Amino acid sequence: MISLYRPGGSVIHRMPAGAKLAVMAALALAISLWPHTPLTAVAALVLVIGLFALGGFGPREWLRQVWALRWIVAFMAATQLLFLGPTPALVNTVRVASVVLLAALLTLTTRTDELLAALERLLRPLSRIGADPWRIAFTLSLTIALVPVVADFARRIREAQRARGVRLGFRAVLPLLVMSLRHADGVADALTARGVA
């Protein structure tokens, strides 16, 4: 699995993985479910940026994370603007960006093995109904870790466009989808070879 962890001694780094996961999940739920106005949505984003500062990451890091999200943000903003109007488009786009940035902060400040162990402990009660907590935890942590991989694919597609002097715009979604599916096949093959899948 790809590890995005950045070593550090901040308050967020030192928090136990389970507590950190619970706090981040509660914040993500609050940001997602609270009936936001544009002001409260932007306030939620400022709070997340403040958490990046608390984690020892300056503007360069959170701007890098936002830049990695630009295609998701642009696509979501455009579709929401088209179908819902400017205010809901702003609120929903900022809300989704805030939650994805929270997930990025979690992976930047938590070792993958600690995150996996915390998720497994959290999901242990599901074993009573026949679920495998380890597999569920592994799937969730793998999903979180693969978000920046897809963002990197988007960056490579953009660089290839520039090198060829071509601008695909929204048509760039197709090569991004193909690259993502190929990568997913490779990950699935690797997991199968190790007896995980």
Side-chain angles (χ1 to χ4, degrees):
M1 184 186 304
I2 296 165
S3 178
L4 304 172
Y5 175 71
R6 305 271 180 84
S10 72
V11 174
I12 298 178
H13 279 89
R14 292 194 307 268
M15 279 179 74
K20 196 184 311 185
L21 183 62
V23 169
M24 298 283 186
L27 280 172
L29 280 172
I31 290 169
S32 301
L33 301 177
W34 186 268
H36 285 287
T37 65
L39 186 61
T40 60
V42 171
L45 181 60
V46 170
L47 171 67
V48 173
I49 291 168
L51 288 174
F52 267 82
L54 191 61
F57 301 109
R60 184 175 181 175
E61 182 57 40
W62 63 260
L63 283 171
R64 194 176 74 78
Q65 297 294 332
V66 169
W67 184 251
L69 293 173
R70 69 193 177 284
W71 295 113
I72 296 169
V73 168
F75 177 76
M76 184 169 181
T79 54
Q80 297 272 323
L81 189 61
L82 182 65
F83 294 108
L84 298 177
T87 301
L90 172 67
V91 167
N92 292 332
T93 303
V94 170
R95 184 186 310 196
V96 168
S98 299
V99 170
V100 175
L101 286 172
L102 269 178
L105 181 61
L106 179 65
T107 59
L108 287 167
T109 58
T110 314
R111 294 182 197 279
T112 304
D113 56 341
E114 291 175 2
L115 184 59
L116 188 58
L119 284 168
E120 189 176 355
R121 281 193 303 274
L122 181 69
L123 297 168
R124 197 165 288 145
L126 295 178
S127 60
R128 295 179 189 149
I129 58 171
D132 184 349
W134 185 87
R135 287 182 187 271
I136 297 170
F138 182 78
T139 302
L140 288 172
S141 57
L142 185 64
T143 302
I144 291 169
L146 289 178
V147 169
V149 173
V150 176
D152 183 61
F153 290 158
R155 180 188 60 77
R156 285 160 54 186
I157 290 167
R158 187 185 72 255
E159 287 175 357
Q161 289 175 6
R162 283 184 186 158
R164 293 181 180 92
V166 177
R167 188 160 182 84
L168 295 176
F170 281 115
R171 290 176 295 169
V173 171
L174 184 59
L176 178 60
L177 183 61
V178 170
M179 289 176 77
S180 300
L181 290 174
R182 280 185 186 160
H183 183 74
D185 281 343
V187 170
D189 290 344
L191 294 177
T192 302
R194 289 166 177 77
V196 176

